[in-house]
Amino acid sequence: MFEKSSWIRLPRNVVVGHGVLDEVVPVVSDLHLDGRPLLVTSPTPRTVAADPIAADFRESGVDPAMVTVETASFDAVERVIDAVEAEDADYLIGVGGGKAIDIAKMASHHCDIGFLSVPTAASHDGIVSNRGSVPDGDTRHSVAAEPPLAVVADTAILAEAPWRLTTAGCADIISNYTAVMDWRLAHRLKNVEYSGFAGALSEMTAEILVENADSVRPGLEEAAWIVTKALVSSGVAMSIADSSRPASGAEHLFSHQLDRLAPEAALHGHQVGVGSIMTAYLHGGEKGVWLDIRNALESIDAPTTAAELDIDDETVIEALTTCHEIRDRYTILGDGMDEGAAREVARETGVIG
Ligand SMILES: NC(=O)C1=CN([C@@H]2O[C@H](COP(=O)(O)OP(=O)(O)OC[C@H]3O[C@@H](n4cnc5c(N)ncnc54)[C@H](OP(=O)(O)O)[C@@H]3O)[C@@H](O)[C@H]2O)C=CC1
Ligand SMILES: O=C(CO)COP(=O)(O)O
Ligand SMILES: [Zn+2]
């Protein structure tokens, strides 16, 4: 008897383009959301986007509440959950980078209320996904979270953001190549459930981005457009899979461990990009895919070495040899790399000197 079933939750409206920040209030109306919004933001995105959105709401006769978070943590999620009750909020709007959006989507999941995603940086592919990702002590949780009802991505704001944020988003997408390799490996060796649709969408997203790398240049609003479309597509792949597997393999374990060992040293996307060079090498060995990944990262000005991440070589080795422990996710790292092997892959790929 056929017993499979799946429930794919995707946003109803995805609005991307120049000046679309003004569309947040109309989008809320299109979704028939009533009552009071709580804007969840972080310091810079507050000035860039959350304050103007709040002004638009006030003009439309709605009094929005606002909470500003500083770090991606379960404490921050708790603060937002408390604010929902204290401010009598009916739905949430995450305004910012990955931090603010993850916290908003996790709080909305807990409170069972709707959530909109308003990215101010094209820096990560959590814009659309139904996953939240936060560190918790020695581990990292990728938890089920509320997918956004709508996404409003203003390319004028995204193009004005520091260029490094956009290159981080590109690197997060390029890392899909190795994430899917790890996912297939886990499927073959550990019988982990694999979705061919989600895997293909994730790989195709990385391919389209790399093919358009010439247009991904600072100062071009088209770059924000191309990268945002890719981030949306990658998030859809995660929602189809109902897992971050299509976009997160060993290169993400490496990055999550760097977050613990060298907090705030580099952006998430940049760390996963460097991780991806090394895990592609482990998957194939021969020059080929890992060099393609390194060249693609170089072509969009993303870091390819420990020095460019501003992280010392020994920390890279420590992250490589320990990161398999932080989450129960089978990857090319298996049950861990020994130190000599870690040094060799990092040297051979030029990540360390
Ligand atoms: N759930 C998912 O599927 C995914 C989740 N993630 C998560 O997302 C996070 C990484 O996202 P990322 O965006 O790099 O992290 P942050 O949200 O910390 O943003 C990075 C930096 O960009 C700043 N910033 C944001 N927008 C602007 C702007 N318009 N102009 C100037 N500065 C701006 C922020 O400022 P400020 O410090 O003032 O906030 C912050 O310093 C990680 O926690 C990662 O785990 C990543 C991918 C997928
Ligand atoms: O960053 C992500 C995908 O790009 C989310 O993955 P994690 O589940 O590893 O946090
Ligand atoms: Zn990522």
Side-chain angles (χ1 to χ4, degrees):
M1 198 171 91
F2 186 81
E3 285 181 342
K4 280 184 175 180
S5 71
S6 76
W7 184 346
I8 300 171
R9 302 176 75 208
L10 298 169
R12 173 162 139 182
N13 293 321
V14 178
V15 185
V16 184
H18 184 87
V20 299
L21 197 70
D22 298 348
E23 305 294 343
V24 171
V25 173
V27 164
V28 164
S29 160
D30 184 73
L31 292 167
H32 308 294
L33 285 173
D34 292 321
R36 189 174 197 212
L38 171 66
L39 278 69
V40 179
T41 189
S42 61
T44 316
R46 178 173 181 151
T47 319
V48 174
D51 284 339
I53 295 170
D56 287 349
F57 271 112
R58 280 192 287 271
E59 212 169 291
S60 74
V62 174
D63 174 32
M66 180 118 52
V67 57
T68 306
V69 294
E70 308 270 343
T71 51
S73 63
F74 281 108
D75 283 350
V77 177
E78 287 296 331
R79 264 189 63 212
V80 174
I81 291 169
D82 291 346
V84 167
E85 197 157 314
E87 303 285 354
D88 207 10
D90 297 290
Y91 59 96
L92 296 176
I93 306 183
V95 184
K99 182 171 60 185
I101 290 176
D102 265 3
I103 291 167
K105 71 167 70 149
M106 290 167 70
S108 83
H109 186 72
H110 179 89
C111 299
D112 199 19
I113 57 177
F115 143 74
L116 278 75
S117 168
V118 182
T120 59
S123 51
H124 66 101
D125 59 7
I127 292 172
V128 167
S129 76
N130 65 343
R131 313 299 302 174
S133 174
V134 280
D136 185 19
D138 287 350
T139 60
R140 179 98 188 181
H141 296 289
S142 171
V143 293
E146 199 66 17
L149 295 168
V151 178
V152 180
D154 188 330
T155 49
I157 290 176
L158 301 171
E160 282 288 313
W163 178 239
R164 65 191 185 93
L165 294 174
T166 309
T167 66
C170 291
D172 207 11
I173 296 295
I174 290 168
S175 80
N176 286 7
Y177 284 121
T178 46
V180 176
M181 288 181 202
D182 279 324
W183 193 14
R184 287 207 194 96
L185 182 75
H187 175 62
R188 288 191 209 108
L189 290 184
K190 301 288 176 186
N191 208 23
V192 166
E193 196 177 340
Y194 177 76
S195 157
F197 290 104
L201 178 60
S202 174
E203 283 177 323
M204 187 188 72
T205 302
E207 258 154 45
I208 292 175
L209 183 82
V210 170
E211 278 164 16
N212 285 285
D214 287 351
S215 303
V216 181
R217 300 267 52 101
L220 290 183
E221 193 167 333
E222 191 187 356
W225 169 266
I226 291 168
V227 179
T228 304
K229 291 278 183 166
L231 296 170
V232 168
S233 178
S234 186
V236 168
M238 286 191 258
S239 292
I240 291 174
D242 198 17
S243 157
S244 61
R245 269 284 192 184
S248 171
E251 74 298 317
H252 271 68
L253 297 179
F254 170 72
S255 168
H256 297 332
Q257 192 67 317
L258 287 180
D259 286 343
R260 293 185 51 237
L261 299 172
E264 317 240 323
L267 289 166
H268 167 85
H270 289 165
Q271 293 176 172
V272 301
V274 171
S276 194
I277 299 171
M278 294 187 285
T279 62
Y281 178 90
L282 292 174
H283 270 283
E286 331 84 54
K287 291 201 173 183
V289 179
W290 73 265
L291 251 189
D292 291 345
I293 290 175
R294 191 172 78 180
N295 291 340
L297 291 168
E298 262 170 10
S299 78
I300 46 104
D301 305 333
T304 57
T305 64
E308 286 169 359
L309 288 177
D310 207 13
I311 290 175
D312 63 72
D313 292 359
E314 291 314 305
T315 304
V316 164
I317 301 305
E318 189 179 346
L320 267 181
T321 51
T322 57
C323 67
H324 63 285
E325 291 165 358
I326 64 170
R327 176 195 270 176
D328 182 19
R329 174 165 290 193
Y330 192 81
T331 69
I332 191 68
L333 298 176
D335 60 1
M337 288 190 82
D338 79 40
E339 194 189 316
R343 274 186 206 286
E344 184 170 336
V345 60
R347 279 213 191 94
E348 283 295 316
T349 53
V351 169
I352 66 170

